[in-house]
Amino acid sequence: MERGKHLYREVVPLTAMVTMECTNVGLNTLFKAATLKGMSYHVFVVYAYALAALLLLPSPFFSFRSRELPPLSFSVAWKIFLLGLIGCTSQIMGYTGINYSSPTLASAISNLVPAFTFILALLFRMEKVSLRSSSSQAKIIGTIVSISGAFIVTLYKGRPIGPTPSPSISLHQLLPSPHSNWVIGGVFLMAEYILVPMWYIAQAQIMKEYPAELTVVFFYSLCVSILAAIVGVISEPNTSAWRIRFDITLVSILCSGIFGSFLNNVVHTWVVRLRGPVYVAMFKPLSIAIAVAMGVMFLDDTLYLGSIVGATIISFGFYTVMWGKAKEEMAEGGEIGDLESSSNQKVPLLSSYKTQEMHS
């Protein structure tokens, strides 16, 4: 029983999040290749999320018939709409920021997501911090260390390790920047990565009130698709931009709709409910190390010293945070166990006292 609980709370979320980060790297590569073929990112968001909503269409019917779930109130529906608004806005901000700057700058600023999420989780009392507690110290130090490692991977190259391969398509070259204005791009990207932690926090709040991942993600995907369509019609009035070509564009939309908008959001929502928003945000720096590893293995990228040093630091910081959260959960479990044992000890004493009164 304890082993199954450990697998469910520790091993499965970790495996699922690492798998999703690997998948996201592949989806980003597909998306960047599709944009080179002329695909609009507004059109891409509309179709990808519409496909996810279509796949999740049966889920509300099962949720509404469930006796364990509370009814979908107006309050929950309004929060899901706000979640969709945050998600749609953050994606448009992110793609606009990359358009003005570069994916490299986007990767660098995305490293701040764990710090922003940690601060918001503290403000909303989703995380507890006691500076005298070793678990809290581990979470703070681990977050800072992992962010530092991610900045090293992004900004420091160093000398190449091993033979330099022939020039090939790399992860950072797939989406060239037509407008090299890093200041404007940085402002848009900063806005995106402030909204992403807000998305995690709002998601966690919704899961407390309505713990049905598939239904929440269905309505979220539907909201994002509708909102993105409204923005897309204004920004892309040309009808030819909405035609899907049977090439890498169609492959990118199908894969992103199934594995990104559908599966990735369901996994993220489930892990947020199970482990909290800070746990999910901590995989953001780890994703950069995964991107470097996949670039070396599948895209024949050059492995540099900065990537190895940064990935090592990221791993150290990541596991420090995981150790701190595990120790915190063990302490909370011990407190609950002590309360239960003390209450169990009080019941026999009370019953024996009543028995003695009856006999007397």
Side-chain angles (χ1 to χ4, degrees):
M1 186 69 180
E2 287 296 327
R3 185 179 179 184
K5 187 177 179 181
H6 173 75
L7 285 172
Y8 178 75
R9 283 195 58 85
E10 302 292 338
V11 179
V12 176
L14 178 65
T15 306
M17 286 301 300
V18 172
T19 304
M20 285 299 100
E21 291 303 329
C22 293
T23 305
N24 285 337
V25 172
L27 294 177
N28 287 339
T29 305
L30 274 176
F31 166 75
K32 292 169 187 176
T35 54
L36 288 178
K37 294 288 185 178
M39 182 184 70
S40 166
Y41 58 80
H42 292 288
V43 176
F44 170 80
V45 172
V46 173
Y47 286 146
Y49 277 92
L51 177 59
L54 185 64
L55 293 171
L56 287 164
L57 185 60
S59 60
F61 299 101
F62 292 105
S63 296
F64 294 155
R65 296 176 65 181
S66 174
R67 295 181 180 178
E68 298 178 358
L69 289 171
L72 185 63
S73 63
F74 176 77
S75 173
V76 174
W78 172 248
K79 288 177 182 177
I80 293 174
F81 173 76
L82 289 178
L83 189 72
L85 183 62
I86 293 170
C88 181
T89 307
S90 68
Q91 292 205 25
I92 291 173
M93 289 284 185
Y95 290 132
T96 306
I98 290 174
N99 188 46
Y100 275 104
S101 56
S102 75
T104 305
L105 184 63
S107 298
I109 297 178
S110 72
N111 301 329
L112 299 174
V113 168
F116 290 153
T117 308
F118 193 68
I119 293 168
L120 285 175
L122 286 176
L123 293 176
F124 284 91
R125 298 181 179 179
M126 293 181 176
E127 287 287 329
K128 298 177 182 178
V129 171
S130 175
L131 296 178
R132 295 181 180 179
S133 170
S134 59
S135 60
S136 296
Q137 292 172 0
K139 288 193 296 183
I140 295 171
I141 294 171
T143 302
I144 295 171
V145 168
S146 63
I147 292 171
S148 303
F151 274 113
I152 290 174
V153 171
T154 308
L155 303 176
Y156 171 67
K157 183 175 284 188
R159 62 184 182 85
I161 305 297
T164 304
S166 57
S168 61
I169 301 174
S170 84
L171 288 170
H172 293 307
Q173 292 171 343
L174 278 169
L175 188 61
S177 174
H179 308 288
S180 181
N181 194 327
W182 282 57
V183 176
I184 297 176
V187 171
F188 277 109
L189 291 169
M190 185 66 73
E192 179 199 8
Y193 291 117
I194 290 174
L195 289 171
V196 168
M198 292 173 64
W199 189 84
Y200 288 146
I201 299 298
Q203 198 178 40
Q205 294 285 352
I206 293 169
M207 283 293 100
K208 287 181 180 179
E209 295 184 41
Y210 196 80
E213 290 86 356
L214 295 177
T215 303
V216 170
V217 174
F218 164 73
F219 285 113
Y220 166 73
S221 301
L222 188 63
C223 288
V224 172
S225 182
I226 293 171
L227 291 170
I230 295 170
V231 176
V233 168
I234 298 171
S235 60
E236 297 288 348
N238 189 2
T239 55
S240 62
W242 294 85
R243 294 173 188 167
I244 303 174
R245 292 185 294 272
F246 291 91
D247 51 14
I248 192 68
T249 303
L250 178 62
V251 175
S252 176
I253 290 172
L254 289 176
C255 290
S256 295
I258 296 169
F259 299 106
S261 304
F262 168 41
L263 188 60
N264 183 62
N265 283 330
V266 169
V267 169
H268 274 70
T269 305
W270 173 68
V271 177
V272 163
R273 179 173 68 86
L274 192 67
R275 301 303 306 272
V278 174
Y279 182 91
V280 176
M282 281 308 302
F283 285 85
K284 208 69 180 177
L286 190 66
S287 66
I288 296 174
I290 292 171
V292 170
M294 291 185 70
V296 172
M297 289 187 290
F298 300 111
L299 297 177
D300 203 27
D301 285 350
T302 305
L303 181 63
Y304 292 95
L305 178 63
S307 300
I308 295 177
V309 173
T312 304
I313 294 172
I314 289 171
S315 301
F316 177 77
F318 176 78
Y319 287 113
T320 302
V321 174
M322 293 300 107
W323 177 84
K325 289 189 73 68
K327 188 172 181 181
E328 186 178 69
E329 289 175 1
M330 286 175 63
E332 290 176 355
E335 289 177 2
I336 293 171
D338 291 340
L339 288 172
E340 289 179 350
S341 61
S342 62
S343 62
N344 290 335
Q345 288 174 2
K346 289 177 182 179
V347 171
L349 288 172
L350 184 61
S351 61
S352 62
Y353 175 74
K354 288 183 177 180
T355 306
Q356 286 177 7
E357 280 190 335
M358 289 175 64
H359 284 297
S360 62

